[in-house]
Every structure is written in C-alpha cells, then in structure tokens.
Amino acid sequence: MEEPDREAVATAVQRVAGMLQRPDQLDKVEQYRRREARKKASVEARLKAAIQSQLDGVRTGLNQLHNALNDVKDIQQSLGNLSRDWRQSINTIESLKDVKDAVVQHSQLAAAVENLKNIFSVPEIVKETQDLIEQGELLEAHRNLMDLECSRDDLMYEQYRMDSKNTHDMNLIQNYFGEVQHLSDELAKQLWMVIQRAITTVRKDPTLLVCVVRIIEREEKIDRRMVDRKKQTAFIPPGRPKKWKEKMFLVLEKTIGSRIEGSQAETRESDKMWLVRHLEIIRRYLLDDLVVVKNLMVQCFPPTYNIFNKMLELYHQALSSRIQELASEDLEANEIVSLLTWVLNTYHSSEMMGNAELIPEVDVKTMKPLLSQDVVDQLLHKYMATLKSNIIAWLRKALETDKKDWDKNTEPEADQDGYYQTTLPAIVFQMFEQNLQVAAQISEELKKKVLHLCLQQMNAFLNRYSEEAQLYKEDHLRNRQLPACYVQYIIAIINNCQTFKESIVSLKRKYLRSEEDFVISGSTNMDTILENIANDGCRNLLDEVFMDLEPHLNDLMTRKWLAGSNSVDTICVTIEDYFNDFARIKTHYKQKMTIKAHRKVVTEYIKAIMQRRICFRNAEERKEGAERMIKEAEQFKFLFKRLTSGFGEETDGLCDTIIDIAEVIKLTDPSLLYLEVSTLVTRYPDLRDDHIAALLQIRGDASREMKQTIIETVDQNQRQQGPSYTPIFKDIIVPSMPTLSVPKLLK
C-alpha cells in the first residue's frame, strides 16, 4: 500500500502546485478546498455503491450454487433408483419375447383382415375398373386401380417383412393380382391417347386433359412414396416407379415429331412447290399449336410442369430434326432458297416465333438455330454452285434465242423512244433480278455473292455476245442479201449494249449499299467489252454503207465525174437513206457514227484525189473540176450538218479540206503554187510529200522541176501540229508514181 500512497501524494502535490502558481491564487485556497472535498465525497459514494453491488452479486451467486448442489444430489439419487429398477426389469423384458412375436403376427393378421374384403372382391373390382376404362371414366378407374395396387402392395410388403426370402408366397400374391398390371397398362394407353390429342382435346374438353394430368400426378406421388420406402426397407412393389410423367413427355415428343413430319402432303414428283407447301403447313401448325398451349393448355397443368416452355422445346427439337432431314436431301437450288429463307428469316419473324400472340413467353433472340452454321454454309455452297450452272445455261439459252431472231425477215421491236432493241437485256436482267431478290431474302452476304456471280457470268456472256455478233457479220458478208434485216439487228445489238450498261449500274445501285461495295471486279471490264461491241457494230454499219458507196466513190475524180456524173448525189442520198435507219440508234452511238461517216466520206474523197485518177489538161478543166469539188464539199457539209443537228458537234472543217485542195487545183498562176501549197501544209501539218506531188500532178501544168522545187522548199519549213488538230492525211496512201524520178517523191 505504500507505493500507491506515494503515487497519490505525488499526484496531489503536483495538482496543488498547478493550482497555486501565482500569488493571487492564494485567495482561492478555500474555494479549491471545498471543490476538492465535493469531488472526494462523490468518489467515495460511487465506490460504496460499487462495492455494495458486488456484494449483492456474490450473495446471489452463493445462493444459486447452494440450490444447484441440492439439485445434483436429487438427480444422483434418482439415477441410482433408476439403475436399480432397470437391473430388476431385464429378466422381465426377456420373458416378453413371445408377446412381441404375437404382436407382429397380430399386426399382419390385422392387415390381412383389413384387406380381406378387397382380396375377395379383386375379380369384381377388376371387372368394374375395366368397364370404367372402356367408358372413359378415367378418374374412377384410377381410384379403383389404386385400391387394388394398395391391397397388393400392402400384402406383399407384410410378406416381405415377415419372410423376405419366401418367393413362393410373393409370387402367389402377385399372380392373384395379375390383372392389376393389365389394368394399369390399359389405363396408360387411354392416358397416352388423350395426351396424343392434347391440342385438340384442350379445345373441346379441357376437363378430360385435367383428369389425365391429375392421374399422372397421383402416380408421381405414389412413385415418390414407394422410392422413399425402398430406401428404408429395400422393398418396392412390382411395376414401380411407373414414371408416367416422363412417359407423358415422351408421348408428346413422339406426337409432335409425327405431326411435323406428317405435314408433307406432296413430293417433288407431284408438285414442284412441295417444300414451300410443306414449310407453310408446318408454320401454321406450329403457330396454332403454341397459341393453344399458351392460352388453354397451360391452365390444365400444374405450374411445376412449365408446360409451355417444355412444349416449345419439344416443337423446336422436332422441327430442327425435320429441317436437318430436309437439308440432307438432294435439294434443288430453289428448294435450298426456300429452306434457308424459312429457317433464317420466317422462323424468327412475326409470322411464326415472333408472333405477337406468343410474346413475351417466346424470346426469339435466345432460341437456338434450327440448322448449324456448317450445314447452312454447305447449303449455300451447293446453292451457289447450282446457281452458277443455271445462270450459264440460262445465258446460253437466251443468246441462242436472240440469235434466232437475228435471221428473221421482220424488224426488231422498238422501245418507247423508237430505238431498235431485242429482248435479250430484259431477259438477262430479269433473271438476275429474280435471283438477287431471292438471295436478299436469305442474307445480305448471299445477295452480294449472287450479284458478284451474276456480274462474273455477265462478263463471260458479253465475250460470247461479241463473238456471235462478229460471226453474224461474217455470215452476212457471204451473201449481203441475207439476212433481210441485218442493219436493223446490228442497230439493236448496239442499243442493247447501252441497255446492258444502264442495267448493270441500276442493278448495283439497287443491291449494293456502300460505295465500297459498288466497285465490283469485272464491271469496268464489262464496260470496255460493251463499248467494243457497240463500236464494232457501228463499224459494221459504216462498212455496209461504204460497200454500197464503193462504186460511186470510185467514179470520183475521173473523166466521167468531170463530165457531170451524179456520183456525189447518189452518195448523199444513200448516206441519208442509211441514216434514216440509223436514227433508231441511241443518241450516244448515233453521234459517233455520224462523225465517223462524215470523216470517212471526206477521207475517201481525198483518197480519190490522191490516186490521180484524172489529170487536168488545161486551166478550164482545172477550174471546172475545182468548182465541182467545192460544190460537192458544200453538199457534204449540208448533208452532215442536218445529220449532226442536235449533237453540238462542229464538223465543217472536214469538208473545208476538200475546198482547200480545190483552191490549189483552181489556181491559175503557177508561180503562186508554192505559196498556196505552203498555206495548205500549214493548215494540214500531216500532208506528206507524196500528197503534194499527187496534187501537183493532178493540176497537169507543173513541170518536174517545179514539183521538186516546191516539195524541197516546203520540207525546209518546220511543221507544227496544234493540240486540237486531228490528222486527216496521215492514213491516206498515195500510189507510187513511176514517172517521177525525184528521190524525195518516192518517200
């Protein structure tokens, strides 16, 4: 106690020192003393209360311990008495073994007595139950069946308890109740018949379906009870567990599978649309059945059955199996399309699983696919291969049909604008359109593949089209009288090229969304092929024109021409006549043809000049010939101005070439020839020395030395071709002039 006392004194000294640090605090010593006295009194009071509380707790604890000790003594005494009584009763218990056996036997006899009435009335109950089953009173029949099974099972159980190895008595009981199992099977058949017609039954008589479900539920409860008893006693009655609930779903599964498979009413041999009809019947059946299940059948089953989802699963499985069977068959292209369209689109659409009457129970997003992706890919691959073969055959047949029209004696049809055309572009692109529409129903990716395939085959087809057009021309050249409408059908071929171009662009714009997709390999090449076919057609038509003009072109710049032949009049009339037919060519190609014809006429005229068919004898002949050339150039100008009206093309410069040459011929003063020729060369930089020599020879008044001088002098001048100049003399060949010996003239 000394150590705490010292700590207390030290603490008090420190506390007093803290209170009296200043002289003025001495006046408050009395106040401090009273305050500390109050604190001390308060602490002492709390200590007394705490000690008193502890003392009360100790007193209570001692009382409880004393009571517990007394209780223990009483229990010890009771256990001693009990032990003595137990030792005394052991002999008595052993002497009651016979009583125990008698009790067991009595309970068995009591069960036998209790079931005696049922045992004796088994044949009568069996007959009654059979009649009830035949009358459709399934609940009453099942109640009797349960009574019979209960009597049999109780007897067998008691026999099992008494002597589990006595199989003779067990068999005796089972044989006596042998008809019970037959009744159970008969009742089950009736139940399964109702379950098979559940969709129909629930509409007409839902009560019957409810009875069947109640019977199944009863049997399920008995199954569970028997299984639980087996765990305890190892005994289970014959035929248990029946598992009628499981069998019910097996019956439903088989029924649904048969309903879907049996909906095929036709075969491919009897109806080309067999698959479409089959799928449509399935769609109607499945939708109607699920609506009935949702609205009516669900009310006939306990919620634990989750009957709608179960039926949905069964329908989906059965349908998937049927679709896989169909996919494994040797389907044609249109059948593959019908199947995939139905599987990938129709099945999940509002016409089927997405129907408003099935929402929200059915969520199409969570449903498994009817076909695996591998099977879908295989079908698409087969479809594309078949489609490719079909497109090739269709295009070949379309071209053969079009070729037959080329040999007809009647003109081809004209469109609303009067342009000749054949049905080939319409047939080809109608076929493409149909296949693309079909592909678009399946998927966006397949649509692109089909479009790509169509354009690829179109590319090859146009090459054949070009070859056939060339053969058509060659056949015509063997006999220009045949076919009678050769020109008209060449015009139609040219117009078809424009139609093909427009149709290709239209097809791509319709079936491709993005600009990247718009650029498809082969389309640029097709434009080139079509342009070549059209250009060849235009060339063939111009060849036809100039074959007719050839005799008249040969008369130009001859003595006959100078004497006043009407060759140019005939040329103009012939060209105009042909171009009346060429008016049926679409503007783009008609414009090009008119320009080419104009250039060809002028070129042929200049060729006639350069071939030196005539040599003017004097100034009068030169004047007469030059004026005739100028007049005929003006005729050509007038003709082609009319033919090119509306094109916006200025082609007068071509005919001015003839006029410029005529001015050189018309010149009366030979000393000015050099100046005139120089002007001509300046205007036409592609004018060669042999052209100048031929032109001077036609005049007939230029000496050999003059020709040589003019040519050499002109050659010394630098020739420049402007960017807008189109050469006209470049391809005009001048026949050799053996009479001239100047080396320059032999170039």
Side-chain angles (χ1 to χ4, degrees):
M1 292 294 292
E2 294 180 0
E3 185 67 25
D5 288 343
R6 282 198 296 271
E7 291 180 359
V9 171
T11 303
V13 170
Q14 186 177 2
R15 184 175 178 81
V16 170
M19 291 178 182
L20 304 175
Q21 290 182 353
R22 297 189 307 276
D24 60 332
Q25 290 179 329
L26 292 174
D27 297 336
K28 298 180 180 179
V29 169
E30 190 61 31
Q31 183 180 348
Y32 291 154
R33 183 183 292 110
R34 287 195 299 271
R35 185 175 66 186
E36 292 303 322
R38 285 195 299 272
K39 286 183 179 181
K40 179 182 177 183
S42 174
V43 171
E44 288 177 349
R46 288 200 299 271
L47 285 173
K48 289 178 181 178
I51 291 171
Q52 185 63 41
S53 175
Q54 290 294 327
L55 289 174
D56 291 342
V58 169
R59 187 181 296 109
T60 302
L62 289 173
N63 291 333
Q64 289 177 348
L65 287 173
H66 179 72
N67 293 334
L69 180 61
N70 293 333
D71 291 340
V72 168
K73 289 178 180 179
D74 292 340
I75 292 171
Q76 185 178 9
Q77 185 178 357
S78 298
L79 286 174
N81 295 334
L82 182 61
S83 177
R84 287 193 300 272
D85 293 341
W86 176 74
R87 290 190 186 93
Q88 293 174 2
S89 63
I90 289 177
N91 296 330
T92 306
I93 293 172
E94 291 177 352
S95 64
L96 293 176
K97 183 176 185 300
D98 295 337
V99 176
K100 178 182 177 182
D101 295 338
V103 170
V104 172
Q105 186 176 6
H106 181 270
S107 66
Q108 292 173 345
L109 291 173
V113 170
E114 185 179 348
N115 291 290
L116 191 60
K117 182 180 179 180
N118 291 335
I119 291 172
F120 285 119
S121 62
V122 164
E124 182 183 346
I125 298 175
V126 167
K127 180 66 172 62
E128 180 185 352
T129 305
Q130 184 69 44
D131 293 340
L132 289 172
I133 291 174
E134 292 175 356
Q135 295 168 10
E137 300 292 336
L138 302 182
L139 276 177
E140 292 296 327
H142 186 251
R143 186 175 294 108
N144 288 350
L145 178 62
M146 285 194 300
D147 291 341
L148 290 170
E149 289 180 338
C150 183
S151 298
R152 180 197 65 184
D153 297 345
D154 287 347
L155 287 172
M156 294 183 74
Y157 177 63
E158 291 300 332
Q159 177 61 37
Y160 180 83
R161 286 176 58 193
M162 186 170 61
D163 188 1
S164 61
K165 297 181 180 179
N166 189 351
T167 57
H168 178 269
D169 290 347
M170 294 288 281
N171 291 334
L172 183 65
I173 298 172
Q174 189 169 351
N175 290 335
Y176 184 76
F177 286 91
E179 289 296 318
V180 174
Q181 185 61 43
H182 175 70
L183 288 176
S184 178
D185 295 339
E186 286 295 318
L187 180 61
K189 288 181 182 179
Q190 295 297 319
L191 299 183
W192 307 148
M193 287 176 62
V194 174
I195 293 297
Q196 287 172 353
R197 299 192 297 267
I199 298 296
T200 305
T201 302
V202 78
R203 293 174 174 174
K204 297 179 180 179
D205 187 8
T207 305
L208 180 58
L209 183 60
V210 172
C211 291
V212 170
V213 175
R214 287 179 62 188
I215 291 170
I216 293 172
E217 273 294 282
R218 287 176 183 174
E219 290 295 335
E220 284 294 303
K221 290 179 180 178
I222 296 173
D223 278 349
R224 288 193 293 271
R225 189 168 65 248
M226 293 297 108
V227 170
D228 290 340
R229 189 168 70 176
K230 180 185 178 182
K231 293 177 181 178
Q232 297 174 0
T233 65
F235 171 78
I236 186 132
R240 292 288 176 185
K242 292 184 179 180
K243 298 181 179 180
W244 277 7
K245 180 178 179 181
E246 182 179 329
K247 290 179 181 177
M248 178 192 72
F249 284 116
L250 290 175
V251 171
L252 284 172
E253 181 180 356
K254 186 176 179 180
T255 303
I256 292 169
S258 300
R259 181 170 173 79
I260 289 177
E261 189 172 352
S263 62
Q264 181 177 342
E266 298 94 2
T267 61
R268 184 184 293 118
E269 291 72 20
S270 62
D271 189 349
K272 292 293 183 184
M273 301 297 290
W274 69 275
L275 183 58
V276 174
R277 296 181 187 278
H278 183 32
L279 294 174
E280 176 59 19
I281 292 172
I282 290 176
R283 185 194 69 80
R284 292 205 308 268
Y285 280 179
L286 192 146
L287 181 59
D288 292 345
D289 290 357
L290 288 179
V291 170
V292 170
V293 172
K294 176 189 174 185
N295 296 330
L296 300 176
M297 199 166 171
V298 168
Q299 302 172 15
C300 300
F301 286 80
T304 55
Y305 278 57
N306 196 14
I307 192 64
F308 180 81
N309 289 332
K310 188 64 179 177
M311 291 289 285
L312 177 63
E313 181 183 351
L314 293 176
Y315 271 103
H316 183 81
Q317 289 175 353
L319 183 56
S320 179
S321 299
R322 181 57 183 159
I323 294 298
Q324 287 175 8
E325 290 177 6
L326 292 172
S328 64
E329 296 182 10
D330 188 17
L331 298 178
E332 298 177 356
N334 62 315
E335 294 169 351
I336 292 174
V337 168
S338 300
L339 184 64
L340 289 179
T341 302
W342 196 90
V343 168
L344 300 177
N345 298 322
T346 304
Y347 185 63
H348 297 92
S349 70
S350 59
E351 297 178 359
M352 209 166 173
M353 290 305 185
N355 192 279
E357 294 191 52
L358 298 180
I359 296 174
E361 281 77 2
V362 177
D363 185 0
V364 294
K365 295 180 181 178
T366 61
M367 296 186 70
K368 297 178 181 178
L370 292 173
L371 287 176
S372 66
Q373 190 59 45
D374 289 341
V375 176
V376 172
D377 292 341
Q378 290 173 9
L379 288 174
L380 289 176
H381 179 74
K382 181 179 179 181
Y383 171 71
M384 290 299 293
T386 306
L387 180 61
K388 181 179 180 179
S389 176
N390 289 343
I391 288 177
I392 292 172
W394 290 332
L395 290 174
R396 185 182 296 113
K397 185 177 180 181
L399 184 54
E400 291 297 327
T401 303
D402 204 56
K403 281 169 56 183
K404 291 178 182 177
D405 293 342
W406 296 355
D407 295 328
K408 288 181 178 179
N409 293 326
T410 55
E411 294 181 351
E413 297 178 358
D415 63 11
Q416 66 273 16
D417 297 321
Y419 298 128
Y420 284 137
Q421 63 178 6
T422 67
T423 57
L424 183 62
I427 292 173
V428 169
F429 282 93
Q430 183 180 7
M431 176 190 65
F432 287 169
E433 183 84 19
Q434 290 173 351
N435 284 288
L436 284 166
Q437 288 176 355
V438 167
Q441 294 175 3
I442 298 177
S443 68
E444 185 73 18
E445 186 63 27
L446 181 63
K447 182 184 70 175
K448 292 180 183 179
K449 289 182 179 179
V450 171
L451 179 57
H452 187 63
L453 175 63
C454 289
L455 294 180
Q456 277 185 332
Q457 295 308 315
M458 185 68 184
N459 207 9
F461 166 76
L462 290 178
N463 285 320
R464 292 196 297 273
Y465 192 48
S466 176
E467 293 170 2
E468 294 297 340
Q470 187 62 28
L471 292 174
Y472 184 53
K473 173 196 172 184
E474 293 173 2
D475 290 342
H476 171 70
L477 291 179
R478 295 188 187 98
N479 182 359
R480 292 189 63 216
Q481 302 303 316
L482 297 175
C485 295
Y486 169 77
V487 171
Q488 288 80 358
Y489 276 100
I490 290 293
I491 292 173
I493 290 172
I494 295 170
N495 290 337
N496 283 350
C497 292
Q498 184 65 24
T499 305
F500 275 129
K501 281 185 181 180
E502 294 168 355
S503 300
I504 290 169
V505 172
S506 174
L507 206 64
K508 288 163 65 177
R509 283 179 178 165
K510 184 174 181 179
Y511 290 99
L512 293 178
R513 296 180 179 177
S514 65
E515 290 296 326
E516 294 180 3
D517 293 336
F518 196 81
V519 181
I520 292 186
S521 61
S523 57
T524 305
N525 191 30
M526 276 189 287
D527 290 343
T528 304
I529 296 172
L530 287 169
E531 195 65 26
N532 290 338
I533 295 173
N535 289 337
D536 289 343
C538 293
R539 193 179 305 111
N540 294 341
L541 291 177
L542 289 179
D543 289 345
E544 191 73 9
V545 174
F546 283 94
M547 278 190 281
D548 285 349
L549 294 181
E550 187 174 0
H552 307 291
L553 291 171
N554 289 336
D555 283 346
L556 295 176
M557 301 305 295
T558 61
R559 285 289 165 186
K560 180 181 177 182
W561 168 78
L562 188 61
S565 74
N566 59 351
S567 297
V568 170
D569 294 335
T570 306
I571 289 171
C572 290
V573 170
T574 303
I575 291 174
E576 190 166 10
D577 183 53
Y578 267 106
F579 270 84
N580 285 334
D581 288 336
F582 296 166
R584 302 295 190 96
I585 302 176
K586 292 188 176 180
T587 305
H588 170 66
Y589 295 112
K590 181 169 63 178
Q591 178 180 359
K592 292 172 67 174
M593 277 192 62
T594 309
I595 295 170
K596 287 181 179 179
H598 189 178
R599 186 174 186 81
K600 178 80 171 173
V601 167
V602 173
T603 302
E604 290 296 325
Y605 200 104
I606 295 173
K607 282 183 180 178
I609 297 172
M610 296 304 169
Q611 287 174 357
R612 304 182 305 280
R613 298 172 184 172
I614 188 173
C615 182
F616 297 113
R617 298 169 184 165
N618 51 49
E620 273 204 30
E621 282 191 356
R622 286 193 290 275
K623 181 180 179 184
E624 182 182 352
E627 289 177 351
R628 188 171 183 82
M629 289 170 64
I630 294 170
K631 177 186 174 185
E632 290 171 350
E634 293 296 336
Q635 278 184 267
F636 289 143
K637 266 189 184 182
F638 179 74
L639 170 66
F640 286 104
K641 194 163 190 177
R642 281 194 297 112
L643 294 180
T644 57
S645 62
F647 296 158
E649 291 284 340
E650 184 59 49
T651 56
D652 288 353
L654 289 170
C655 293
D656 288 340
T657 307
I658 300 175
I659 296 174
D660 291 339
I661 293 174
E663 292 296 336
V664 175
I665 295 174
K666 185 179 180 181
L667 189 65
T668 55
D669 187 356
S671 62
L672 298 176
L673 268 176
Y674 165 72
L675 183 59
E676 198 68 34
V677 170
S678 298
T679 303
L680 193 65
V681 170
T682 303
R683 289 183 182 175
Y684 308 101
D686 61 326
L687 192 70
R688 300 193 302 271
D689 296 348
D690 51 350
H691 296 143
I692 298 171
L695 186 56
L696 294 176
Q697 186 175 348
I698 291 171
R699 278 184 57 88
D701 63 341
S703 64
R704 184 175 299 175
E705 290 77 10
M706 181 183 294
K707 294 175 187 176
Q708 183 176 353
T709 302
I710 291 173
I711 291 171
E712 289 178 348
T713 306
V714 168
D715 277 348
Q716 292 175 3
N717 297 331
Q718 189 174 2
R719 305 186 187 192
Q720 292 183 349
Q721 291 188 10
S724 60
Y725 176 72
T726 304
I728 191 170
F729 290 94
K730 180 180 178 181
D731 297 325
I732 297 176
I733 300 173
V734 179
S736 60
M737 298 182 293
T739 56
L740 295 177
S741 59
V742 179
K744 280 277 188 178
L745 300 180
L746 297 178
K747 290 184 179 179

